[in-house]
């Protein structure tokens, strides 16, 4: 029997821009704009206009999640829905009413709200005017938005997060072209990473001024992908060390420890690409660590030495110091192109325990996205997603080992509660405990939903024989 501590939270995660639809939304975020201008960039031409129709169906959707055993729901407030004027952070009345209704409905269904403030959804107007997270003025505007959220909803919401996966903003928008505005510029990416760390710390400071009940906490949600060297060769080990610094510690260290990794700062300084920072800003980061941590985990990060020397004449990018490596014989989620490696859950738990003060943390996302999931529908219309149950069992078994060794993990949130719109992948892969027929917006429990509900009731599960 794999068991978890008393009080361990079983939850689900999603986000505003991936579920709500754009009903009555005053402004566009960068993905709204990208779809409006280049719909061909999105799988099957499906954009965020309707998404999972959560704007209209939230009460019904939350009832289904409660049936699926979801005790806590992590979602986000859209800057573009709540705020009328970004400079003054004046409020949009419809946005305020909507989020009030959603939070009240969560509580009515005995689902604890876990609210995130930014999920890749920068208002496009702030990119057009200020180049988005390249600008420290946008940092100040974000803090104003966060302050409004704390004042409006802090009476009912105890669990807050500044950013979800800020590293994906850096990678997708500023390094590798996955996401709009598809800027490929290493030095700009470095500055964006710094500015988002600064925005998080300033938001933490404001939170602690406004939300003073002892049960109220604020954290950050990071996608941690442990870097594993392809071999014990010193060159491969050096590549893995830099990959760990860049991919994980760039946000983890300032958020939890209050400072950037020394070796990373040294390398960026030597390369002439270190961010612009002031002593006052660095003091703010030092003084405002997070109270808790969310960890999104899907796959490991395997690397080897780069093919050519980083001293070669080439534009600065972080991957001049490493090359991704495909381990032969690996288990894969072939639909998503990600390696399945549950052992990393144990490694993450031990790392947080040993190197980050054993801060309270939770798995804030983990799940398996499958394409063409309708092929697994039975005659009663239920998706027989045993693959998702097995995926969760394997990862939870690895997580339990870390908890048993003393790591302070307090919950597991599956991605996702309901099949949701996944950016330019749209609905190609389905992740939910609940199926969404996007043509009719009919939502039904999958087999995994029943298993998840039983998991929460029994606080554990039997391993497969």
């Amino acid at each position: 029997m794999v068991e978890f501590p008393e009080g361990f939270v079983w939850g689900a995660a999603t986000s505003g821009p991936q579920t709500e639809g754009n009903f009555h939304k005053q402004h566009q975020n960068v993905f709204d704009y990208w779809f409006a201008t280049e719909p061909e960039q999105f799988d099957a031409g499906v954009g965020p206009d309707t998404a999972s129709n959560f704007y209209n169906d939230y009460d019904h959707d939350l009832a289904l999640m409660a049936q699926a055993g979801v005790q806590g729901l992590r979602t986000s407030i859209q800057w573009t829905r709540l705020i009328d004027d970004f400079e003054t952070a004046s409020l949009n009345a419809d946005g305020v009413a909507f989020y009030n209704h959603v939070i009240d409905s969560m509580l009515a269904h005995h689902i604890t709200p876990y609210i995130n403030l930014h999920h890749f959804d920068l208002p496009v107007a702030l990119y057009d005017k200020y180049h988005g997270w390249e600008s420290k003025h946008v940092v100040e505007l974000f803090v104003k938005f966060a302050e409004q959220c704390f004042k409006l909803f802090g009476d009912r919401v105890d669990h807050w997060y500044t950013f979800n996966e800020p590293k994906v903003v850096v990678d997708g928008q500023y390094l590798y072209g996955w996401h709009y505005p598809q800027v490929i510029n290493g030095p700009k990416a470095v500055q964006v990473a710094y500015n988002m760390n600064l925005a998080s710390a300033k938001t933490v400071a404001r939170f602690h001024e406004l939300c003073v009940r002892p049960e109220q906490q604020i954290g950050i949600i990071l996608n941690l992908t442990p870097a594993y060297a392809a071999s014990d060769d010193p060159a491969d080990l050096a590549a893995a060390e830099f990959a760990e610094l860049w991919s994980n510690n760039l946000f983890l260290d300032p958020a939890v420890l209050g400072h950037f990794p020394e070796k990373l700062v040294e390398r960026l300084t030597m390369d002439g690409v270190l961010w612009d920072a002031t002593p006052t800003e660095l003091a703010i980061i030092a003084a405002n660590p997070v109270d808790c941590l969310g960890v999104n985990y899907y796959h490991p990060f395997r690397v080897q030495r780069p093919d050519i020397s980083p001293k070669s004449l080439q534009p600065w990018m972080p991957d001049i110091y490493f090359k991704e490596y495909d381990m032969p014989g690996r288990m894969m989620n072939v639909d998503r192109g990600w390696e399945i490696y549950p052992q990393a859950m144990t490694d993450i738990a031990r790392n947080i325990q040993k190197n980050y003060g054993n801060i309270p943390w939770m798995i804030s996302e983990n799940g398996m996205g499958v394409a063409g999931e309708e092929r697994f529908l039975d005659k009663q219309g239920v998706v027989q997603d045993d693959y998702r149950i097995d995926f969760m069992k394997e990862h939870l078994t690895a997580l339990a080992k870390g908890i048993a060794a003393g790591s302070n993990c307090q919950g597991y949130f599956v991605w996702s509660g309901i099949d949701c719109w996944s950016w330019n992948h749209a609905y190609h892969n389905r992740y939910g405990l609940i199926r969404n027929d996007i043509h009719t917006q009919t939502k039904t429990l999958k087999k995994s939903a029943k298993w998840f509900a039983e998991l929460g009731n029994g606080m554990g599960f039997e391993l497969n024989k």
Side-chain angles (χ1 to χ4, degrees):
M1 184 79 172
V2 179
E3 296 181 304
F4 291 84
E6 189 71 29
F8 194 81
V9 180
W10 300 101
T14 188
S15 78
Q18 293 177 268
T19 58
E20 292 171 7
N22 284 339
F23 308 96
H24 300 286
K25 197 167 75 146
Q26 182 175 357
H27 303 288
Q28 289 183 314
N29 63 43
V30 288
F31 278 92
D32 299 327
Y33 176 79
W34 192 20
F35 178 72
T37 53
E38 296 184 275
E40 69 278 3
Q41 296 287 330
F42 293 74
D43 187 83
V46 176
D49 293 344
T50 302
S52 303
N53 199 33
F54 187 73
Y55 183 89
N56 298 301
D57 281 357
Y58 63 87
D59 200 56
H60 172 258
D61 293 350
L62 291 168
L64 282 175
M65 287 193 224
Q67 289 181 46
V70 172
Q71 300 168 355
L73 177 63
R74 199 206 98 203
T75 188
S76 67
I77 292 172
Q78 292 197 69
W79 197 349
T80 48
R81 184 181 291 285
L82 187 73
I83 298 300
D84 175 25
D85 181 274
F86 298 126
E87 300 292 336
T88 63
S90 58
L91 296 167
N92 179 284
D94 186 90
V96 172
F98 170 70
Y99 289 116
N100 271 318
H101 291 325
V102 167
I103 291 167
D104 288 344
S105 183
M106 282 191 210
L107 296 172
H109 287 97
H110 306 288
I111 295 173
T112 302
Y114 290 73
I115 300 299
N116 172 42
L117 296 171
H118 185 278
H119 201 120
F120 311 163
D121 56 339
L122 178 82
V124 74
L126 299 184
Y127 183 78
D128 291 343
K129 190 171 184 179
Y130 301 115
H131 299 289
W133 291 111
E134 299 171 47
S135 164
K136 291 183 182 178
H137 180 62
V138 170
V139 170
E140 302 306 320
L141 299 184
F142 179 74
V143 176
K144 288 183 180 181
F145 156 63
E147 179 178 333
Q148 292 285 41
C149 294
F150 302 148
K151 289 178 177 178
L152 287 166
F153 313 119
D155 59 328
R156 286 152 293 162
V157 178
D158 294 337
H159 307 279
W160 293 88
Y161 298 91
T162 57
F163 288 95
N164 174 80
E165 298 186 351
K167 182 61 165 47
V168 171
V169 175
V170 174
D171 287 349
Q173 297 184 19
Y174 288 92
L175 286 177
Y176 304 118
W178 308 331
H179 294 168
Y180 182 87
Q182 298 175 296
V183 176
I184 299 175
N185 186 306
K188 282 187 178 182
V190 171
Q191 188 64 49
V192 165
Y194 173 81
N195 289 350
M196 295 183 82
N197 273 297
L198 178 62
S200 182
K202 286 193 167 190
T203 301
V204 169
R206 194 70 185 107
F207 172 85
H208 285 135
E209 292 170 358
L210 294 170
C211 298
V212 297
R213 287 186 283 113
E215 62 269 26
Q216 291 184 297
Q217 292 189 326
I218 190 165
I220 191 169
I221 296 161
L222 304 179
N223 52 313
L224 297 185
T225 54
Y228 299 101
S231 77
D232 290 334
D233 184 286
D236 288 343
L237 293 172
E241 180 184 40
F242 182 82
E244 183 75 16
L245 290 170
W246 174 259
S247 293
N248 298 310
N249 298 353
L250 173 61
F251 285 96
L252 184 57
D253 283 28
V256 179
L257 303 179
H259 59 78
F260 292 94
E262 183 178 342
K263 286 187 177 181
L264 180 62
V265 171
E266 289 175 358
R267 172 49 57 193
L268 298 178
T269 301
M270 289 175 62
D271 291 350
V273 296
L274 186 68
W275 44 70
D276 170 66
T278 69
T280 299
E281 291 167 351
L282 293 173
I284 290 170
I285 292 171
N288 293 285
V290 293
D291 304 318
C292 55
L293 181 67
V295 174
N296 297 351
Y297 173 71
Y298 292 97
H299 58 84
F301 188 28
R302 299 193 187 275
V303 297
Q304 59 189 348
R305 74 185 76 189
D307 287 338
I308 64 173
S309 168
K311 297 178 181 178
S312 305
L313 181 61
Q314 57 187 320
W316 189 93
M317 295 283 277
D319 58 7
I320 63 175
Y321 292 107
F322 57 83
K323 178 184 177 182
E324 293 196 42
Y325 168 76
D326 293 331
M327 185 178 71
R330 63 198 178 278
M331 178 70 74
M332 289 289 292
N333 175 354
V334 293
D335 289 329
R336 189 61 183 86
W338 286 344
E339 181 184 345
I340 297 173
Y341 187 65
Q343 170 63 32
M345 284 279 213
T346 310
D347 297 340
I348 289 169
R350 289 172 175 166
N351 182 40
I352 292 171
Q353 180 182 6
K354 179 181 177 181
N355 298 313
Y356 295 91
N358 210 14
I359 187 172
W361 68 286
M362 70 176 187
I363 291 293
S364 44
E365 283 184 31
N366 177 244
M368 185 171 184
V370 175
E373 204 169 48
E374 58 275 1
R375 62 192 149 137
F376 299 107
L377 282 166
D378 66 12
K379 292 180 180 179
Q380 287 72 46
V382 177
V383 176
Q384 298 295 310
D385 55 342
D386 294 274
Y387 40 86
R388 181 167 290 112
I389 296 170
D390 289 342
F391 180 95
M392 288 191 282
K393 280 185 175 182
E394 291 163 358
H395 285 77
L396 283 166
T397 299
L399 178 62
K401 291 178 182 177
I403 294 172
S407 191
N408 193 13
C409 182
Q410 301 184 344
Y412 174 89
F413 283 51
V414 65
W415 184 271
S416 176
I418 296 176
D419 289 340
C420 63
W421 183 80
S422 293
W423 317 110
N424 49 335
H425 294 290
Y427 282 92
H428 184 79
N429 293 318
R430 302 303 186 98
Y431 291 86
L433 299 174
I434 298 164
R435 179 175 184 258
N436 182 19
D437 182 332
I438 64 171
H439 303 292
T440 64
Q441 290 298 327
T442 301
K443 295 156 187 173
T444 52
L445 298 175
K446 301 177 187 178
K447 183 178 180 180
S448 60
K450 180 180 179 181
W451 180 83
F452 198 77
E454 293 172 350
L455 180 67
N457 289 331
M459 303 305 281
F461 58 89
E462 294 286 348
L463 289 171
N464 293 337
K465 302 298 184 185

